Amino acid sequence: MLASQIKTSTRVAEVVKNNDPKTKASLKMLWDSNVPKQFLNNPSGRVYIIAVDDVIYKIGGSQAHGGIRSTWSSYCSGNSGRPSDRTYGINVLINEQLDLGKKIEIYMIQSERVQAQVTGLFDQETAMISAFKEMERKCLEDYFKIEKEYPKWNFKESNKDWPLYIQEGAAKLRKRG
């Protein structure tokens, strides 16, 4: 499925190699200048789509407080620190595609924040919430209905393990950390 076919998403960035020797991050984001900063920094939940030459490779969700920019800062630096297999894996897989001359683009669907009752341990309160997990599930279901499989990099949903070289690479970084 092509990312350009999605009617509800906004293209927010292109991912490129980071050649800045002052940082360990192997990737950097070229944020689309026509997308308002308040949209990119919105803390509401979101679904992000990674497209390789316009083909959807990953559908994910996040509610990082700094918006989509914060979500992607961890992926860009997933080659350092103590990353999860997913964070390290996405970084490695994007780098591999960039090495092949592929174009990596990020699309986003913002979850609308609504007022709802939130139950805690002792009472309820009214809070602003966003249903990004439900949106992510709906996006994955929509994709599966058409493609009869999940996107290539949605390992968890496909009941597949991350490739062994990714698991080993992430483990090696975590041991150093």
Side-chain angles (χ1 to χ4, degrees), residues 25-91:
S26 65
L27 301 172
K28 74 176 181 177
M29 306 301 288
L30 300 179
W31 298 103
D32 289 358
S33 59
N34 60 334
V35 178
K37 266 192 173 172
Q38 64 268 26
F39 184 74
L40 298 174
N41 296 332
N42 188 322
S44 296
R46 68 207 65 86
V47 169
Y48 62 86
I49 294 144
I50 303 173
V52 177
D53 286 345
D54 199 32
V55 176
I56 297 172
Y57 271 44
K58 169 110 175 110
I59 296 173
S62 171
Q63 197 169 6
H65 288 292
I68 190 72
R69 287 172 160 286
S70 181
T71 298
W72 275 88
S73 69
S74 63
Y75 286 126
C76 288
S77 60
N79 60 308
S80 61
R82 297 177 53 88
S84 67
D85 288 355
R86 179 184 41 82
T87 301
Y88 176 79
I90 293 299
N91 180 286

Side-chain angles (χ1 to χ4, degrees), residues 135-177:
M135 283 178 43
E136 180 183 8
R137 182 180 34 75
K138 170 85 171 107
C139 290
L140 286 163
E141 287 171 357
D142 289 347
Y143 184 97
F144 193 88
K145 282 179 193 170
I146 293 168
E147 298 294 329
K148 308 296 184 234
E149 63 185 358
Y150 291 107
K152 188 175 190 166
W153 293 349
N154 280 87
F155 294 101
K156 180 180 174 184
E157 293 78 6
S158 300
N159 291 316
K160 294 180 182 174
D161 291 330
W162 282 91
L164 189 56
Y165 74 98
I166 288 176
Q167 293 179 48
E168 290 172 348
K172 188 175 179 181
L173 279 176
R174 288 191 295 267
K175 281 183 183 175
R176 276 195 236 156

